[in-house]
Amino acid sequence: MLAQRPPMGWNSWNTFGGAINEQVVRDTADAIVEKGLKDAGYEYVVIDDCWSLRERNEEGRIVPNPEKFPSGMKALADYVHSKGLKFGMYSCAGTRTCAGFPGSFDYEFIDAKTFAEWGVDFLKYDFCFKPRLANGPILYNRMSMALKASGREILFSACNWGSDEVEKWIRSTGAHMYRSTGDINDSFQSFKNIAMSQVDKIAYSGPGCYNDIDMLICGMHGSGNVANGGCTDIEYRTHFALWCLFQSPLMIGGDLSKMDDFNLDLLKNKELISINQDPEARPPMMVNGGDRPVFFKHLANNEYVVAFFNFTDRSDTWGGDTVEFYDLGLTVASGYGFRFRDIFTGEDTGVLTGRLSTKVDAHDCKIFRGTLVEK
Ligand code: GLA
């Protein structure tokens, strides 16, 4: 069974856009292994839009652009597989992809067969140029069945940007993950708005079909295809923490040949990744809202997370940031307190009975993980 945990990998779009080619894919596969990302759990290497010629061939097949992919897709898939990784590609439910290349509308079964022959393990499936009267459930269901009929196990990654209340029907189509928002860009505002737009929809996400809040921008620093000023390292950490807390698929979007050490370490942060991969996939409860949100999340094995975020531009909050345990349901009479660890500093809070207080700087976050203990 696929996607029993949020899928992890790399996608070409955020950095390379239309400039994708086989050398980039090979170098990225090498880097995923050499830089320890494979060991951290990253698995899928995904080519997004702009990989094909503008028209199908006489047999109705999509043809890889020979200038970008001179060795062909089968050879590239073999290379990615030889690294112990999985190979992903992209198509669209409409007549054209978002960048105007051939889409799979009406060619679903032919394309799924072609992808299977090439050795594709993952298909991202977009929603541009879709006939107005054809609806999402039909189109995603059709490609899902085509992939299942292809003879190869292929993870199906839907991308309709959250339209038509996608969270309510997408699991029924057999998709394994689904984009729930518009496209991310490399800015604090973008990732903050995307994450917060999904707070009350994460409950639909879980094993077998995860809410995908878009590819990561960690370490892009204002370069690449979705550039919009870039973020500070602290902001990239807040971004990654939100994606982990919400258990979104983790698809790296940066250029791995240029990834700095801070962001490489962040992408491999074991504590955050283990929250992201938690098998129970319980949605976080929002204990405090607004621009200083606080979340409480149950993990497997009786562990808990308290996550504080400061989306304001101010670091100097009067009184600091506090979560009262009675707001989580824990009363003094229970005889229990929480013992937490700050996952970034390793600091132990000791047993706390009434509240957890901390101080979160502007655009930063604090993530605590712990258990209930007898007082
Ligand atoms: C849409 C998707 C993006 C990317 C582009 C490619 O905008 O949401 O993630 O795949 O298309 O054109």
Side-chain angles (χ1 to χ4, degrees):
M1 280 198 297
L2 292 169
Q4 292 307 295
R5 305 275 191 278
M8 296 171 68
W10 177 91
N11 174 297
S12 61
W13 184 253
N14 282 359
T15 293
F16 295 96
I20 185 61
N21 61 54
E22 69 179 38
Q23 198 54 49
V24 166
V25 176
R26 282 168 185 258
D27 292 348
T28 300
D30 292 348
I32 289 174
V33 175
E34 281 159 20
K35 293 180 191 272
L37 290 160
K38 177 171 182 263
D39 288 341
Y42 296 91
E43 185 178 23
Y44 291 96
V45 183
V46 181
I47 299 173
D48 207 283
D49 205 349
C50 308
W51 56 267
S52 77
L53 290 178
R54 289 270 169 194
E55 301 305 331
R56 289 173 182 271
N57 68 15
E58 283 167 4
E59 294 164 4
R61 299 242 185 181
I62 312 190
V63 185
N65 182 328
E67 281 171 21
K68 294 175 175 174
F69 298 94
S71 316
M73 289 302 175
K74 176 80 177 68
L76 192 51
D78 288 348
Y79 186 80
V80 171
H81 291 150
S82 77
K83 295 273 157 177
L85 300 170
K86 294 191 169 145
F87 182 58
M89 290 192 69
Y90 163 100
S91 188
C92 184
T95 57
R96 296 256 154 206
T97 71
C98 298
F101 294 88
S104 293
F105 181 81
D106 218 16
Y107 290 89
E108 290 87 350
F109 282 78
I110 297 176
D111 290 351
K113 245 257 98 58
T114 306
F115 293 137
E117 283 165 17
W118 288 341
V120 168
D121 308 295
F122 176 115
L123 181 71
K124 175 174 170 182
Y125 204 51
D126 223 328
F127 210 50
C128 285
F129 298 102
K130 155 193 101 64
R132 227 166 263 223
L133 296 179
N135 76 11
I138 287 284
L139 295 181
Y140 282 98
N141 202 41
R142 193 191 291 168
M143 184 48 112
S144 175
M145 291 191 290
L147 293 174
K148 287 184 177 176
S150 74
R152 194 174 167 87
E153 188 170 66
I154 300 178
L155 189 151
F156 190 30
S157 164
C159 178
N160 87 337
W161 325 297
S163 45
D164 308 328
E165 298 186 294
V166 65
E167 67 280 358
K168 295 192 177 156
W169 51 265
I170 193 69
R171 181 179 286 269
S172 306
T173 69
H176 300 102
M177 55 193 261
Y178 59 100
R179 276 277 303 283
S180 52
T181 73
D183 291 5
I184 199 167
N185 62 57
D186 187 8
S187 71
F188 173 73
Q189 287 299 332
S190 173
F191 77 69
K192 179 196 83 170
N193 291 343
I194 282 179
M196 295 312 282
S197 77
Q198 294 305 302
V199 169
D200 58 358
K201 297 185 177 150
I202 298 294
Y204 291 96
S205 182
C209 189
Y210 283 94
N211 184 334
D212 169 14
I213 55 178
D214 209 354
M215 287 90 71
L216 297 162
I217 51 167
C218 298
M220 293 187 67
H221 296 298
S223 64
N225 187 43
V226 296
N228 189 17
C231 298
T232 64
D233 284 340
I234 287 302
E235 290 168 346
Y236 286 133
R237 187 171 76 171
T238 297
H239 162 48
F240 193 65
L242 283 165
W243 264 235
C244 289
L245 187 70
F246 288 11
Q247 297 198 253
S248 172
L250 297 177
M251 304 301 289
I252 299 169
D255 181 346
L256 292 181
S257 70
K258 299 196 181 118
M259 192 62 68
D260 60 84
D261 288 346
F262 177 91
N263 281 281
L264 194 56
D265 286 347
L266 174 64
L267 291 167
K268 294 192 286 189
N269 185 299
K270 284 198 169 68
E271 293 273 10
L272 287 174
I273 290 175
S274 83
I275 294 170
N276 176 266
Q277 298 286 300
D278 188 74
E280 290 196 7
R282 298 191 186 276
M285 280 181 197
M286 192 153 74
V287 185
N288 189 43
D291 53 12
R292 304 186 76 101
V294 181
F295 295 95
F296 178 65
K297 180 176 169 69
H298 287 236
L299 299 178
N301 303 320
N302 300 337
E303 288 191 278
Y304 301 92
V305 170
V306 175
F308 296 85
F309 294 88
N310 181 354
F311 293 149
T312 76
D313 298 330
R314 299 180 313 276
S315 295
D316 54 343
T317 336
W318 180 81
D321 297 84
T322 296
V323 63
E324 299 286 348
F325 294 162
Y326 61 73
D327 280 336
L328 309 178
L330 190 72
T331 58
V332 175
S334 67
Y336 285 81
F338 277 112
R339 180 172 195 169
F340 286 113
R341 185 166 37 83
D342 176 328
I343 68 159
F344 296 132
T345 64
E347 202 181 321
D348 184 340
T349 63
V351 181
L352 303 172
T353 51
R355 64 193 54 80
L356 169 61
S357 290
T358 186
K359 182 176 173 303
V360 191
D361 289 340
H363 297 196
D364 202 354
C365 64
K366 287 269 176 88
I367 315 288
F368 294 89
R369 178 175 185 152
T371 53
L372 275 177
V373 289
E374 269 182 281
K375 282 192 279 205

